[in-house]
Amino acid sequence: MKKTSTRLADGRELVYYDLRDDTVRDAVDRRPLERTVTTSEVRRDPLLGDSVAIASHRQGRTYHPPADQCPLCPSDGERLSEIPDSAYDVVVFENRFPSLAGDSGRCEVVCFTSDHDASFADLSEEQARLVLDAWTDRTSELSHLPSVEQVFCFENRGAEIGVTLGHPHGQIYAYPFTTPRTALMLRSLAAHKDATGGENLFDAVLDEELAGERVVLEGEEWVAFVPYAAHWPYEVHLYPKRRVPDLLGLDEAARTEFPKVYLELLRRFDRIFGETEPPTPYIAAWHQAPFGQLEEFEGVQRDDFALHLELFTIRRTSGKLKFLAGSESGMNVFINDVPPERAAERLREVASS
C-alpha cells in the first residue's frame, strides 16, 4: 500500500491509498473553494448522560446529485469533484459538512472505489484489503488527535438508510467521548468480570455462538453469526477469533482472510430477499475500544474489549422496512419480527455463487 497525503483547495486533508507503490498523486484541486467553516458543538444531556452533536451547517450538504455531478467520482476535465485526480483506488478526505470538527472531533469520508456504479460487494479481495488497511491507518492517525477518544468506521448503504450520495463510500467519525453503545458494553464487561472472577464476556459470547445454531459462516480467523438477541431483522456480527481491541491489533492472517469472509457476507445480504429485489440497504459498523481512559469501568482494561463488525439491514421482508417506532425510538426497546435462528438459516441458504 502506498499512502499520499495532500490538501484540497479549502485546506481539508485528502489521503490517497494505492495498490501500486509507483503511483504518483500530484493532481491539484482547481476549485475556487473558500475555507470550510463549521458550527459543530457537542452538548451533553444531563438526564440521559449521553451527548448530541449540534451541526446546523449540515443543512446545506449535497443531497442526491445526478450521477454526472457526483462529488465522490474522480475529477474529469472541467468536471471537478472532491477528488482532484482522474482515478483512484481508495481515498479518504475530511468531510466538507462534518458532524464533528475541531475540539469536537473529526469526520472523514472513505471512497472505496472510483467506480460510481459499484458497491463494496463488487470489490476484489485485493481492493477490500486496501480498504481494511485504510480503515486501520485512519484509526491510528485519528487516535493521536488530542480531541479524539473513540474512532468509528462505518458504511451506510441505500437510500432507505438515508444515504444522500450514491457512490460507494463510508465514513469515519472520531468522537471526543466514549459513545453510549460502547459504554454499555464496557459496563457489561466490568459486571461480568466481577461476577465470574475474571472471565471475559466477549470470549464467553463468542464461545457460545460458535457452539450454537446461529453461525452464518466461519473461516480460520473470522466467524460471522446472528446474535442471540438480534435487534434487527437480519443482523450479523463478525468477530476475529483472536480477541483484539481494535483494527490495529489484527495480525496478518486475520487481515488476509478478512476480505474473503466479509465480501461473502455482503453478497449474501444482497441475496436475502431474492434476485428481483433492489440492493439490500444496510449499515456496517466497526466497534473498537476507546483510546481514552477507562477508570469509570472498574476492572476493565482496553485489551478486554473485542473488535467486531455489526452488519444489519432495516428491510424485514420483501418490500417492507423495519421502522423504529414508539418502543424503539421512545424507550430503546427493540421488537424483532424475524427470529435470529431463522435469519441465520436464511443467510446460510443464500450462499453466493
Side-chain angles (χ1 to χ4, degrees), residues 263-284:
L263 290 172
E264 170 67 14
L265 195 56
L266 291 179
R267 290 161 187 165
R268 292 191 190 193
F269 254 61
D270 271 343
R271 295 164 65 94
I272 299 172
F273 304 106
E275 299 288 351
T276 60
E277 285 290 315
T280 301
Y282 65 73
I283 293 175

PDB file of all heavy atoms in Angstrom, residues 263-284:
ATOM      1  N   LEU A 263     -16.619 -10.058   2.066  1.00  0.00           N
ATOM      2  CA  LEU A 263     -17.267  -9.953   0.748  1.00  0.00           C
ATOM      3  C   LEU A 263     -18.347 -11.020   0.584  1.00  0.00           C
ATOM      4  O   LEU A 263     -19.424 -10.758   0.038  1.00  0.00           O
ATOM      5  CB  LEU A 263     -16.221 -10.065  -0.360  1.00  0.00           C
ATOM      6  CG  LEU A 263     -15.274  -8.872  -0.496  1.00  0.00           C
ATOM      7  CD1 LEU A 263     -14.168  -9.191  -1.493  1.00  0.00           C
ATOM      8  CD2 LEU A 263     -16.025  -7.616  -0.918  1.00  0.00           C
ATOM      9  N   GLU A 264     -18.080 -12.216   1.069  1.00  0.00           N
ATOM     10  CA  GLU A 264     -19.086 -13.278   1.022  1.00  0.00           C
ATOM     11  C   GLU A 264     -20.317 -12.885   1.836  1.00  0.00           C
ATOM     12  O   GLU A 264     -21.464 -13.098   1.424  1.00  0.00           O
ATOM     13  CB  GLU A 264     -18.495 -14.582   1.532  1.00  0.00           C
ATOM     14  CG  GLU A 264     -19.498 -15.716   1.757  1.00  0.00           C
ATOM     15  CD  GLU A 264     -20.121 -16.232   0.454  1.00  0.00           C
ATOM     16  OE1 GLU A 264     -19.605 -15.921  -0.638  1.00  0.00           O
ATOM     17  OE2 GLU A 264     -21.135 -16.943   0.547  1.00  0.00           O
ATOM     18  N   LEU A 265     -20.091 -12.294   2.991  1.00  0.00           N
ATOM     19  CA  LEU A 265     -21.190 -11.875   3.852  1.00  0.00           C
ATOM     20  C   LEU A 265     -22.039 -10.801   3.171  1.00  0.00           C
ATOM     21  O   LEU A 265     -23.279 -10.869   3.165  1.00  0.00           O
ATOM     22  CB  LEU A 265     -20.623 -11.353   5.171  1.00  0.00           C
ATOM     23  CG  LEU A 265     -21.578 -11.178   6.345  1.00  0.00           C
ATOM     24  CD1 LEU A 265     -22.303 -12.473   6.660  1.00  0.00           C
ATOM     25  CD2 LEU A 265     -20.808 -10.672   7.563  1.00  0.00           C
ATOM     26  N   LEU A 266     -21.409  -9.815   2.562  1.00  0.00           N
ATOM     27  CA  LEU A 266     -22.140  -8.749   1.875  1.00  0.00           C
ATOM     28  C   LEU A 266     -22.931  -9.300   0.685  1.00  0.00           C
ATOM     29  O   LEU A 266     -24.065  -8.875   0.434  1.00  0.00           O
ATOM     30  CB  LEU A 266     -21.173  -7.672   1.394  1.00  0.00           C
ATOM     31  CG  LEU A 266     -20.504  -6.812   2.468  1.00  0.00           C
ATOM     32  CD1 LEU A 266     -19.559  -5.805   1.822  1.00  0.00           C
ATOM     33  CD2 LEU A 266     -21.549  -6.087   3.305  1.00  0.00           C
ATOM     34  N   ARG A 267     -22.346 -10.231  -0.024  1.00  0.00           N
ATOM     35  CA  ARG A 267     -23.050 -10.813  -1.176  1.00  0.00           C
ATOM     36  C   ARG A 267     -24.246 -11.637  -0.746  1.00  0.00           C
ATOM     37  O   ARG A 267     -25.274 -11.663  -1.425  1.00  0.00           O
ATOM     38  CB  ARG A 267     -22.058 -11.627  -2.015  1.00  0.00           C
ATOM     39  CG  ARG A 267     -21.044 -10.740  -2.735  1.00  0.00           C
ATOM     40  CD  ARG A 267     -19.802 -11.473  -3.198  1.00  0.00           C
ATOM     41  NE  ARG A 267     -18.819 -10.530  -3.730  1.00  0.00           N
ATOM     42  CZ  ARG A 267     -17.537 -10.822  -3.953  1.00  0.00           C
ATOM     43  NH1 ARG A 267     -17.077 -12.047  -3.676  1.00  0.00           N
ATOM     44  NH2 ARG A 267     -16.718  -9.904  -4.428  1.00  0.00           N
ATOM     45  N   ARG A 268     -24.144 -12.279   0.397  1.00  0.00           N
ATOM     46  CA  ARG A 268     -25.312 -12.996   0.925  1.00  0.00           C
ATOM     47  C   ARG A 268     -26.410 -12.016   1.323  1.00  0.00           C
ATOM     48  O   ARG A 268     -27.602 -12.289   1.105  1.00  0.00           O
ATOM     49  CB  ARG A 268     -24.912 -13.868   2.113  1.00  0.00           C
ATOM     50  CG  ARG A 268     -24.029 -15.033   1.738  1.00  0.00           C
ATOM     51  CD  ARG A 268     -23.877 -16.018   2.879  1.00  0.00           C
ATOM     52  NE  ARG A 268     -22.833 -16.998   2.579  1.00  0.00           N
ATOM     53  CZ  ARG A 268     -22.647 -18.111   3.263  1.00  0.00           C
ATOM     54  NH1 ARG A 268     -23.429 -18.401   4.300  1.00  0.00           N
ATOM     55  NH2 ARG A 268     -21.679 -18.947   2.950  1.00  0.00           N
ATOM     56  N   PHE A 269     -26.033 -10.890   1.896  1.00  0.00           N
ATOM     57  CA  PHE A 269     -27.025  -9.875   2.248  1.00  0.00           C
ATOM     58  C   PHE A 269     -27.796  -9.420   1.010  1.00  0.00           C
ATOM     59  O   PHE A 269     -29.000  -9.170   1.068  1.00  0.00           O
ATOM     60  CB  PHE A 269     -26.343  -8.674   2.917  1.00  0.00           C
ATOM     61  CG  PHE A 269     -26.598  -8.616   4.399  1.00  0.00           C
ATOM     62  CD1 PHE A 269     -26.191  -9.649   5.233  1.00  0.00           C
ATOM     63  CD2 PHE A 269     -27.250  -7.539   4.965  1.00  0.00           C
ATOM     64  CE1 PHE A 269     -26.419  -9.602   6.599  1.00  0.00           C
ATOM     65  CE2 PHE A 269     -27.496  -7.476   6.332  1.00  0.00           C
ATOM     66  CZ  PHE A 269     -27.084  -8.518   7.157  1.00  0.00           C
ATOM     67  N   ASP A 270     -27.109  -9.314  -0.115  1.00  0.00           N
ATOM     68  CA  ASP A 270     -27.770  -8.876  -1.340  1.00  0.00           C
ATOM     69  C   ASP A 270     -28.685  -9.953  -1.925  1.00  0.00           C
ATOM     70  O   ASP A 270     -29.456  -9.665  -2.846  1.00  0.00           O
ATOM     71  CB  ASP A 270     -26.734  -8.454  -2.381  1.00  0.00           C
ATOM     72  CG  ASP A 270     -26.367  -6.986  -2.265  1.00  0.00           C
ATOM     73  OD1 ASP A 270     -27.119  -6.236  -1.615  1.00  0.00           O
ATOM     74  OD2 ASP A 270     -25.318  -6.585  -2.806  1.00  0.00           O
ATOM     75  N   ARG A 271     -28.598 -11.170  -1.405  1.00  0.00           N
ATOM     76  CA  ARG A 271     -29.420 -12.261  -1.934  1.00  0.00           C
ATOM     77  C   ARG A 271     -30.549 -12.682  -0.991  1.00  0.00           C
ATOM     78  O   ARG A 271     -31.348 -13.552  -1.341  1.00  0.00           O
ATOM     79  CB  ARG A 271     -28.523 -13.476  -2.220  1.00  0.00           C
ATOM     80  CG  ARG A 271     -27.498 -13.224  -3.317  1.00  0.00           C
ATOM     81  CD  ARG A 271     -26.404 -14.289  -3.294  1.00  0.00           C
ATOM     82  NE  ARG A 271     -26.910 -15.612  -3.612  1.00  0.00           N
ATOM     83  CZ  ARG A 271     -26.911 -16.147  -4.836  1.00  0.00           C
ATOM     84  NH1 ARG A 271     -26.436 -15.455  -5.855  1.00  0.00           N
ATOM     85  NH2 ARG A 271     -27.361 -17.367  -5.035  1.00  0.00           N
ATOM     86  N   ILE A 272     -30.620 -12.053   0.174  1.00  0.00           N
ATOM     87  CA  ILE A 272     -31.623 -12.469   1.165  1.00  0.00           C
ATOM     88  C   ILE A 272     -33.034 -12.421   0.604  1.00  0.00           C
ATOM     89  O   ILE A 272     -33.832 -13.341   0.798  1.00  0.00           O
ATOM     90  CB  ILE A 272     -31.578 -11.557   2.421  1.00  0.00           C
ATOM     91  CG1 ILE A 272     -30.240 -11.615   3.114  1.00  0.00           C
ATOM     92  CG2 ILE A 272     -32.680 -11.974   3.406  1.00  0.00           C
ATOM     93  CD1 ILE A 272     -30.120 -10.589   4.233  1.00  0.00           C
ATOM     94  N   PHE A 273     -33.358 -11.348  -0.092  1.00  0.00           N
ATOM     95  CA  PHE A 273     -34.743 -11.105  -0.489  1.00  0.00           C
ATOM     96  C   PHE A 273     -35.028 -11.477  -1.943  1.00  0.00           C
ATOM     97  O   PHE A 273     -36.093 -11.164  -2.468  1.00  0.00           O
ATOM     98  CB  PHE A 273     -35.095  -9.633  -0.239  1.00  0.00           C
ATOM     99  CG  PHE A 273     -34.859  -9.206   1.182  1.00  0.00           C
ATOM    100  CD1 PHE A 273     -33.775  -8.407   1.509  1.00  0.00           C
ATOM    101  CD2 PHE A 273     -35.704  -9.619   2.201  1.00  0.00           C
ATOM    102  CE1 PHE A 273     -33.544  -8.017   2.825  1.00  0.00           C
ATOM    103  CE2 PHE A 273     -35.477  -9.248   3.518  1.00  0.00           C
ATOM    104  CZ  PHE A 273     -34.398  -8.441   3.831  1.00  0.00           C
ATOM    105  N   GLY A 274     -34.077 -12.141  -2.602  1.00  0.00           N
ATOM    106  CA  GLY A 274     -34.304 -12.591  -3.968  1.00  0.00           C
ATOM    107  C   GLY A 274     -33.640 -11.685  -4.988  1.00  0.00           C
ATOM    108  O   GLY A 274     -33.342 -10.511  -4.730  1.00  0.00           O
ATOM    109  N   GLU A 275     -33.431 -12.240  -6.176  1.00  0.00           N
ATOM    110  CA  GLU A 275     -32.704 -11.539  -7.230  1.00  0.00           C
ATOM    111  C   GLU A 275     -33.461 -10.330  -7.772  1.00  0.00           C
ATOM    112  O   GLU A 275     -32.862  -9.408  -8.327  1.00  0.00           O
ATOM    113  CB  GLU A 275     -32.404 -12.514  -8.380  1.00  0.00           C
ATOM    114  CG  GLU A 275     -31.531 -13.700  -7.991  1.00  0.00           C
ATOM    115  CD  GLU A 275     -30.093 -13.294  -7.743  1.00  0.00           C
ATOM    116  OE1 GLU A 275     -29.742 -12.149  -8.040  1.00  0.00           O
ATOM    117  OE2 GLU A 275     -29.327 -14.143  -7.235  1.00  0.00           O
ATOM    118  N   THR A 276     -34.793 -10.301  -7.656  1.00  0.00           N
ATOM    119  CA  THR A 276     -35.576  -9.214  -8.249  1.00  0.00           C
ATOM    120  C   THR A 276     -35.671  -8.000  -7.341  1.00  0.00           C
ATOM    121  O   THR A 276     -36.129  -6.937  -7.763  1.00  0.00           O
ATOM    122  CB  THR A 276     -37.004  -9.698  -8.577  1.00  0.00           C
ATOM    123  OG1 THR A 276     -37.651 -10.131  -7.367  1.00  0.00           O
ATOM    124  CG2 THR A 276     -36.962 -10.854  -9.567  1.00  0.00           C
ATOM    125  N   GLU A 277     -35.262  -8.125  -6.081  1.00  0.00           N
ATOM    126  CA  GLU A 277     -35.340  -7.009  -5.150  1.00  0.00           C
ATOM    127  C   GLU A 277     -34.189  -6.026  -5.395  1.00  0.00           C
ATOM    128  O   GLU A 277     -33.122  -6.414  -5.872  1.00  0.00           O
ATOM    129  CB  GLU A 277     -35.259  -7.522  -3.708  1.00  0.00           C
ATOM    130  CG  GLU A 277     -36.529  -8.181  -3.219  1.00  0.00           C
ATOM    131  CD  GLU A 277     -37.666  -7.203  -3.025  1.00  0.00           C
ATOM    132  OE1 GLU A 277     -37.448  -6.130  -2.442  1.00  0.00           O
ATOM    133  OE2 GLU A 277     -38.786  -7.515  -3.466  1.00  0.00           O
ATOM    134  N   PRO A 278     -34.383  -4.757  -5.057  1.00  0.00           N
ATOM    135  CA  PRO A 278     -33.275  -3.790  -5.123  1.00  0.00           C
ATOM    136  C   PRO A 278     -32.167  -4.204  -4.160  1.00  0.00           C
ATOM    137  O   PRO A 278     -32.391  -5.018  -3.256  1.00  0.00           O
ATOM    138  CB  PRO A 278     -33.925  -2.474  -4.684  1.00  0.00           C
ATOM    139  CG  PRO A 278     -35.395  -2.684  -4.800  1.00  0.00           C
ATOM    140  CD  PRO A 278     -35.632  -4.149  -4.593  1.00  0.00           C
ATOM    141  N   PRO A 279     -30.963  -3.658  -4.338  1.00  0.00           N
ATOM    142  CA  PRO A 279     -29.869  -3.990  -3.411  1.00  0.00           C
ATOM    143  C   PRO A 279     -30.286  -3.770  -1.958  1.00  0.00           C
ATOM    144  O   PRO A 279     -31.005  -2.820  -1.640  1.00  0.00           O
ATOM    145  CB  PRO A 279     -28.757  -3.020  -3.823  1.00  0.00           C
ATOM    146  CG  PRO A 279     -29.039  -2.720  -5.258  1.00  0.00           C
ATOM    147  CD  PRO A 279     -30.528  -2.726  -5.382  1.00  0.00           C
ATOM    148  N   THR A 280     -29.861  -4.663  -1.089  1.00  0.00           N
ATOM    149  CA  THR A 280     -30.253  -4.588   0.318  1.00  0.00           C
ATOM    150  C   THR A 280     -29.621  -3.378   0.997  1.00  0.00           C
ATOM    151  O   THR A 280     -28.402  -3.233   0.998  1.00  0.00           O
ATOM    152  CB  THR A 280     -29.810  -5.864   1.057  1.00  0.00           C
ATOM    153  OG1 THR A 280     -30.423  -6.997   0.429  1.00  0.00           O
ATOM    154  CG2 THR A 280     -30.230  -5.815   2.527  1.00  0.00           C
ATOM    155  N   PRO A 281     -30.437  -2.493   1.592  1.00  0.00           N
ATOM    156  CA  PRO A 281     -29.857  -1.382   2.356  1.00  0.00           C
ATOM    157  C   PRO A 281     -29.255  -1.921   3.644  1.00  0.00           C
ATOM    158  O   PRO A 281     -29.805  -2.836   4.255  1.00  0.00           O
ATOM    159  CB  PRO A 281     -31.072  -0.485   2.643  1.00  0.00           C
ATOM    160  CG  PRO A 281     -32.236  -1.423   2.644  1.00  0.00           C
ATOM    161  CD  PRO A 281     -31.913  -2.490   1.635  1.00  0.00           C
ATOM    162  N   TYR A 282     -28.128  -1.385   4.043  1.00  0.00           N
ATOM    163  CA  TYR A 282     -27.514  -1.887   5.276  1.00  0.00           C
ATOM    164  C   TYR A 282     -26.665  -0.825   5.945  1.00  0.00           C
ATOM    165  O   TYR A 282     -26.312   0.201   5.353  1.00  0.00           O
ATOM    166  CB  TYR A 282     -26.685  -3.142   5.012  1.00  0.00           C
ATOM    167  CG  TYR A 282     -25.459  -2.972   4.136  1.00  0.00           C
ATOM    168  CD1 TYR A 282     -24.309  -2.333   4.611  1.00  0.00           C
ATOM    169  CD2 TYR A 282     -25.423  -3.480   2.837  1.00  0.00           C
ATOM    170  CE1 TYR A 282     -23.184  -2.199   3.820  1.00  0.00           C
ATOM    171  CE2 TYR A 282     -24.293  -3.347   2.027  1.00  0.00           C
ATOM    172  CZ  TYR A 282     -23.181  -2.708   2.530  1.00  0.00           C
ATOM    173  OH  TYR A 282     -22.058  -2.561   1.745  1.00  0.00           O
ATOM    174  N   ILE A 283     -26.314  -1.090   7.196  1.00  0.00           N
ATOM    175  CA  ILE A 283     -25.299  -0.352   7.929  1.00  0.00           C
ATOM    176  C   ILE A 283     -24.245  -1.360   8.373  1.00  0.00           C
ATOM    177  O   ILE A 283     -24.581  -2.422   8.907  1.00  0.00           O
ATOM    178  CB  ILE A 283     -25.882   0.377   9.150  1.00  0.00           C
ATOM    179  CG1 ILE A 283     -26.827   1.503   8.693  1.00  0.00           C
ATOM    180  CG2 ILE A 283     -24.772   0.948  10.033  1.00  0.00           C
ATOM    181  CD1 ILE A 283     -27.543   2.201   9.828  1.00  0.00           C
ATOM    182  N   ALA A 284     -22.985  -1.050   8.112  1.00  0.00           N
ATOM    183  CA  ALA A 284     -21.861  -1.875   8.561  1.00  0.00           C
ATOM    184  C   ALA A 284     -21.041  -1.028   9.520  1.00  0.00           C
ATOM    185  O   ALA A 284     -20.566   0.054   9.145  1.00  0.00           O
ATOM    186  CB  ALA A 284     -21.008  -2.323   7.382  1.00  0.00           C
TER     187      ALA A 284
END
